[in-house]
Amino acid sequence: MLFKKVAIVTALFTCAAAQADTAPSYRYVQGSVEHISQSGEDSFSDTGFGAKGAWQFNNNWFVAAEWQRYTDSESYTEIFNNEVLNVSASLTFDRYYVGGGYVKPINDTTNLSFAGYLGSYRLDAKGNFQAFVDNQLAYSESFSTGSSSESIKIETVLRSNINSQLELSGRAYYEYLNAAVEDKSQYGLGVGAQYHFTPAFALTSELSHGKLLDENTTQFSVGARYHF
């Protein structure tokens, strides 16, 4: 009985796989909701958004760009007798990448890409402090500061069309970040899936885990992709 069930599942998978007759394309634009969480001494969890796109200009070569943004804000009020303190602060973290790569076909439905990117990490902080005495503004101060660091990233991605609607992928990457951190190496592994509602429109998701800014970091995204 067990052998029969395995045989049926194998046959169904083989039939589904046979429906895909093309390899994944690197011609698309995508928007996504991004979630990042980090463990360790400076642990945090935040949700942001991102956009990326790629253009495969021949059978083997493509160019690509990507952007992600995470924003966190906090405000609070403290009251001391006739004094009131209002404090607010916001932090914005942006990541940019631009580069290109080479696509190597494995078979009719699977390809492997090797890519290199120039990247930039941008951190902006803003804050405001106000003090009121007897409901009258006694003191006010605001600040704004920003810093950026450059990086170089290489990655390899394996993509395969399981059938005409479902694509699965695996990714490995390494990034050197030129910033004031103890370990300048960023690296990780990721898996992804893409479900096509039509040949042009698809729902995408990706989960990755690795090192970012010296800490263990997990990232998850859900997005919509348009193929052209």
Side-chain angles (χ1 to χ4, degrees):
M1 180 64 70
L2 178 60
F3 177 79
K4 183 177 180 180
K5 291 182 178 179
V6 172
I8 292 174
V9 171
T10 302
L12 289 174
F13 181 83
T14 302
C15 290
Q19 295 175 11
D21 56 3
T22 59
S25 168
Y26 281 85
R27 289 186 177 181
Y28 61 82
V29 290
Q30 174 182 319
S32 59
V33 176
E34 307 281 336
H35 182 77
I36 186 171
S37 59
Q38 195 170 81
S39 60
E41 183 178 350
D42 299 320
S43 62
F44 70 93
S45 179
D46 203 359
T47 299
F49 52 89
K52 63 181 179 180
W55 178 50
Q56 187 173 345
F57 52 87
N58 60 32
N59 290 335
N60 297 108
W61 296 94
F62 69 92
V63 292
E66 182 177 357
W67 167 63
Q68 296 175 359
R69 166 168 287 187
Y70 300 93
T71 302
D72 192 17
S73 60
E74 181 181 7
S75 61
Y76 61 90
T77 299
E78 294 186 359
I79 301 175
F80 305 94
N81 297 325
N82 64 331
E83 297 182 4
V84 178
L85 301 179
N86 293 327
V87 180
S88 62
S90 65
L91 190 66
T92 302
F93 174 51
D94 289 288
R95 282 196 293 184
Y96 307 87
Y97 296 103
V98 61
Y102 177 82
V103 181
K104 177 179 176 59
I106 303 300
N107 55 41
D108 290 342
T109 61
T110 306
N111 56 34
L112 182 66
S113 68
F114 305 91
Y117 298 91
L118 297 177
S120 177
Y121 286 48
R122 175 73 185 180
L123 191 63
D124 291 294
K126 296 180 180 180
N128 186 60
F129 177 88
Q130 291 181 322
F132 294 84
V133 178
D134 295 328
N135 295 324
Q136 298 295 319
L137 181 63
Y139 179 79
S140 178
E141 184 179 0
S142 60
F143 71 89
S144 176
T145 183
S147 63
S148 61
S149 302
E150 288 66 48
S151 71
I152 297 176
K153 183 173 73 169
I154 56 174
E155 72 173 12
T156 181
V157 180
L158 178 67
R159 300 174 61 191
S160 181
N161 283 329
I162 302 304
N163 55 45
S164 60
Q165 292 182 303
L166 180 63
E167 175 196 321
L168 299 180
S169 64
R171 180 171 71 102
Y173 66 90
Y174 172 83
E175 182 175 9
Y176 179 84
L177 177 62
N178 186 23
V181 291
E182 183 177 347
D183 189 351
K184 298 179 182 295
S185 295
Q186 326 289 313
Y187 53 87
L189 298 173
V191 293
Q194 184 177 173
Y195 184 84
H196 289 265
F197 294 98
T198 70
F201 289 96
L203 177 67
T204 68
S205 65
E206 184 175 357
L207 175 67
S208 63
H209 181 77
K211 280 285 187 178
L212 175 65
L213 302 177
D214 296 339
E215 302 291 351
N216 291 320
T217 305
T218 299
Q219 299 177 79
F220 177 72
S221 69
V222 176
R225 178 176 293 185
Y226 174 73
H227 291 267
F228 55 89

